[in-house]
Amino acid sequence: MALEITPLRTGPRLGAGFAGEVAGIDLTRPLSGEDVAAIEAGMDRYGVLVFHDQRFDDQTQLAFSRHFGGLEVSSAGEMSRPEERRLAVEMADISNLDAQGRLRAADDRRRLIALGNQLWHSDASFRAVPAKYSLLSARVVPGRGGNTEFADMRAAYDALDAATKAEVEDLVTLHSNAYSREQLGVRPETYGAENQEKLRPVRQRLVRTHPVTGRKSLYLSAHIGAIEGWPVPEARAFIRDLMEHATQPEFVHAHAWRPWDLVIWDNRTTMHRARRYDDRGEVRDLRRTTIRGDGPTIAQVPAAA
Ligand code: OGA
Ligand code: MN
């Protein structure tokens, strides 16, 4: 059956539209090559795709995800001890539960680190080869709050004035999980002595070009802590400015979760953030699979910071 995509956000500065709602496909069943190609084409066009009523379990979500490339192990998964994990290591646990399925304690290290998802970011931008797609499946959602918001970084780039476009064109930023958590007062030691090496900053282009569409986008993320060759305060003030620009309401789509929604986003062309909810009182169980990118945005000579 042919899949149908309806744009969720349109506007004068959103090109062909941002975020599409897809009907007419059950992703838990075997897919044809045409189905997969149609989903990829939809991703290239809309940056975010929303599917409802996709009754995944972890096995069917993993099988579906592998159509789009190799899977990445999330940083939280990589840095966790086996006894701390509730899910298989390829399933990023985007929940507020501990390994026993209880609500995480207020001072649980994993809870504090996960609060970083409330800052605008692009997944795994702290890796030399950052992520392509993220696929997030909703199993249990809270009664109130807990939306996920998405920002269109192609539209944000297009809307820059010519002088700013020229200024950002060749800039290189440094990304680390330590930089995003520092904004929340989470200290690098929270990650444990064994994980400090994984916090080493990586270099990314600030402007990247989509390999299929050729469209440029601003590659922003809360993981940015420096611009190569710039004094840190000047870099952070500029990144804040660009963040404000890129997350204006007209570039943002808010997704209100229903159980069994699946949302796929392209980390190369979008940012996202989680919104608050009562994570000490209600369960929110979302599970993410992440598709590895196919190359660095820039050569990884050792970063200066
Ligand atoms: C993620 C993420 C946001 C949310 O899964 O990568 O940032 O709303 N999630 O849980
Ligand atoms: Mn994320």
Side-chain angles (χ1 to χ4, degrees):
M1 181 175 175
L3 84 203
E4 278 171 48
I5 308 182
T6 315
L8 290 163
R9 288 290 270 133
T10 54
R13 299 205 285 178
L14 286 175
F18 178 48
E21 187 172 59
V22 187
I25 191 162
D26 179 352
L27 304 177
T28 67
R29 302 172 73 97
L31 298 186
S32 68
E34 291 90 77
D35 293 332
V36 174
I39 294 169
E40 292 247 13
M43 288 298 295
D44 289 343
R45 176 158 181 177
Y46 295 106
V48 178
L49 291 179
V50 174
F51 303 79
H52 301 291
D53 301 314
Q54 305 296 329
R55 298 192 174 240
F56 283 115
D57 58 22
D58 292 358
Q59 287 317 309
T60 50
Q61 183 175 343
L62 287 165
F64 169 67
S65 301
R66 290 195 177 100
H67 285 297
F68 304 100
L71 300 186
E72 192 173 270
V73 174
S74 75
S75 61
E78 250 178 20
M79 298 196 219
S80 61
R81 292 184 288 273
E83 67 276 14
E84 290 178 322
R85 285 180 209 136
R86 193 173 63 99
L87 309 175
V89 77
E90 302 84 9
M91 300 294 302
D93 190 350
I94 311 298
S95 81
N96 53 339
L97 301 172
D98 67 15
Q100 286 70 42
R102 296 172 306 217
L103 294 177
R104 289 175 183 165
D107 62 351
D108 187 312
R109 187 171 66 91
R110 291 160 298 180
R111 172 174 187 257
L112 302 179
I113 289 172
L115 286 167
N117 280 347
Q118 294 184 20
L119 305 179
W120 284 108
H121 67 281
S122 175
D123 288 335
S125 71
F126 47 80
R127 289 188 204 277
V129 176
K132 178 187 174 190
Y133 297 162
S134 293
L135 301 88
L136 191 56
S137 160
R139 309 297 172 83
V140 180
V141 303
R144 198 173 141 261
N147 285 358
T148 306
E149 294 180 349
F150 298 92
D152 187 338
M153 304 305 286
R154 308 163 300 182
Y157 173 81
D158 290 345
L160 295 172
D161 60 48
T164 311
K165 278 184 182 154
E167 191 177 15
V168 295
E169 178 68 22
D170 292 316
L171 290 181
V172 173
T173 56
L174 301 185
H175 296 234
S176 164
N177 253 321
Y179 292 140
S180 47
R181 272 44 184 209
E182 180 188 321
Q183 297 181 47
L184 298 178
V186 175
R187 303 193 50 80
E189 301 86 85
T190 310
Y191 282 95
E194 68 283 15
N195 292 316
Q196 295 303 306
E197 179 63 20
K198 298 197 180 78
L199 301 177
R200 195 160 37 168
V202 303
R203 307 169 75 227
Q204 305 289 5
R205 293 191 62 91
L206 181 52
V207 177
R208 58 188 300 185
T209 303
H210 194 278
V212 178
T213 65
R215 281 189 76 183
K216 287 184 175 176
S217 55
L218 268 180
Y219 192 34
L220 288 173
S221 184
H223 305 307
I224 296 178
I227 297 174
E228 231 168 49
W230 287 40
V232 167
E234 185 182 2
R236 293 198 183 181
F238 185 42
I239 294 297
R240 265 193 197 222
D241 251 17
L242 291 174
M243 279 277 188
E244 253 175 51
H245 161 80
T247 57
Q248 297 171 64
E250 65 178 307
F251 302 143
V252 172
H253 171 68
H255 179 70
W257 292 96
R258 292 188 268 169
W260 308 115
D261 283 348
L262 179 84
V263 179
I264 312 179
W265 61 88
D266 189 337
N267 287 294
R268 302 169 299 186
T269 57
T270 63
M271 278 199 295
H272 61 281
R273 66 170 175 181
R275 302 315 309 268
R276 299 179 68 227
Y277 68 104
D278 176 15
D279 75 322
R280 303 276 301 119
E282 286 198 88
V283 174
R284 183 176 188 258
D285 184 355
L286 273 57
R287 302 185 187 195
R288 193 188 83 205
T289 37
T290 315
I291 311 300
R292 236 184 269 131
D294 46 21
T297 65
I298 195 164
Q300 294 298 315
V301 302

